[in-house]
Amino acid sequence: MVREATLGSLDPVVVAAFDIPLFVLASAFAACGFRVAAIVSTCWTGTVAVALAWYATVTTEAGWGAVTMVAAAGGSVIALCLILLGRVPNEFIIRGPFAFRPAASRATSARHVASTFIQIVVFWGLFLVVVPVTLTALERRWDVVFSFPSFVAPVGFIILVLASGLGLWSAVAMSTLGDGTPLPSATANRLVIAGPYRWVRNPMAVSGIVQGAAVGLIVQSWFVVVYAVAGSLVWNYAVRPLEEADLEGRFGEEFQRYRDAVSCWIPRVPQDRSTRPAPRQ
């Protein structure tokens, strides 16, 4: 039964004939420090992942094999980066349209708000509709579905509404108080420490991750929930360090005090009064 779930109608002997030298032995040599073996193992794992994903999509067989190999391919790429570079490169994230650039200071607040809401429509449409729909379809097609309790979908809807409200609140605060937008290529010219930013440093990231998980609950797809969790890891370990380095470079001690006083993920009352908005006169 395990063979059918992971390989479907594929001949396990033929698969093993390639897998043992190109993955098992290559991984063993890679563990001993042979870089060429690490490259071979990673390339083979990626090839098998793509092939099994295609096979599972066309035939509805070997779904769990596709899931396993996609996860293994991701791990292999990370391991290869660590072996070759000693780290996982993340600089490519802030290149091109996503490079950090302050918004044009001549733009009005209304323009920043309009631009921000256009970004919300595009990004929410892509990451909360297109990607989840695609993942859910693959989950059904690969026959790797789990049953969810009946109460999960309504709970997910409530969570989605609350998380979306947080996202909109954060976007308005960023565009009206920061003289910019949440997009890195038109980022805020002023450090925003009011509104939801008073309680948590990255409310838009918190909102987006919770939204993704909530959508997974609504459509009852563990693929989508895992996608949201994976997104949180990518954002925390790849995007956040770059963003905070940019903020520290532009705002210096002001951002350092804010970072020390306000948590990244868990909302809490800031202890440093310098991070609180000044009272109205």
Side-chain angles (χ1 to χ4, degrees):
M1 184 172 180
V2 173
R3 183 189 68 80
E4 292 180 359
T6 55
L7 293 177
S9 302
L10 297 174
D11 189 339
V13 176
V14 174
V15 174
F18 289 95
D19 208 39
I20 290 176
L22 295 176
F23 177 69
V24 178
L25 294 180
S27 296
F29 280 109
C32 295
F34 292 92
R35 295 188 173 189
V36 174
I39 296 173
V40 170
S41 175
T42 301
C43 291
W44 172 248
T45 305
T47 301
V48 173
V50 172
L52 270 181
W54 175 85
Y55 179 77
T57 303
V58 172
T59 67
T60 72
E61 296 181 350
W64 284 110
V67 171
T68 302
M69 290 310 301
V70 167
S76 296
V77 170
I78 293 174
L80 181 63
C81 290
L82 294 176
I83 291 173
L84 297 182
L85 305 174
R87 62 187 182 86
V88 177
N90 58 350
E91 304 84 26
F92 68 91
I93 296 175
I94 57 171
R95 291 179 179 174
F98 296 103
F100 288 109
R101 291 187 294 271
S105 57
R106 64 181 180 276
T108 64
S109 178
R111 183 175 177 179
H112 288 316
V113 171
S115 178
T116 295
F117 275 89
I118 291 173
Q119 294 170 27
I120 287 175
V121 171
V122 172
F123 282 92
W124 285 13
L126 175 62
F127 293 111
L128 299 179
V129 178
V130 176
V131 174
V133 166
T134 302
L135 291 175
T136 302
L138 284 177
E139 184 179 339
R140 306 291 190 266
R141 184 67 180 173
W142 293 0
D143 193 22
V144 290
V145 178
F146 285 141
S147 297
F148 283 64
S150 59
F151 66 84
V152 164
V155 170
F157 179 77
I158 294 172
I159 294 173
L160 177 62
V161 170
L162 295 174
S164 298
L166 174 62
L168 292 173
W169 184 20
S170 305
V172 170
M174 178 65 70
S175 56
T176 57
L177 302 177
D179 188 25
T181 77
L183 195 67
S185 60
T187 190
N189 287 280
R190 293 191 294 268
L191 182 65
V192 180
I193 57 177
Y197 294 89
R198 179 180 178 181
W199 312 101
V200 64
R201 292 206 308 272
N202 299 281
M204 293 199 72
V206 172
S207 168
I209 292 162
V210 174
Q211 282 177 307
V215 170
L217 297 180
I218 293 171
V219 299
Q220 301 191 21
S221 167
W222 71 271
F223 266 23
V224 178
V225 174
V226 170
Y227 150 75
V229 174
S232 71
L233 296 176
V234 170
W235 192 90
N236 189 63
Y237 293 106
V239 179
R240 183 173 66 87
L242 299 175
E243 181 184 60
E244 293 190 346
D246 173 72
L247 290 171
E248 185 171 3
R250 290 193 293 128
F251 300 112
E253 293 185 2
E254 183 183 8
F255 174 72
Q256 292 174 8
R257 291 194 302 270
Y258 174 66
R259 181 182 57 197
D260 293 340
V262 180
S263 171
C264 175
W265 291 107
I266 308 300
R268 70 176 186 223
V269 178
Q271 300 301 313
D272 186 350
R273 291 185 178 273
S274 65
T275 64
R276 302 182 183 183
R280 295 183 179 179
Q281 299 298 325

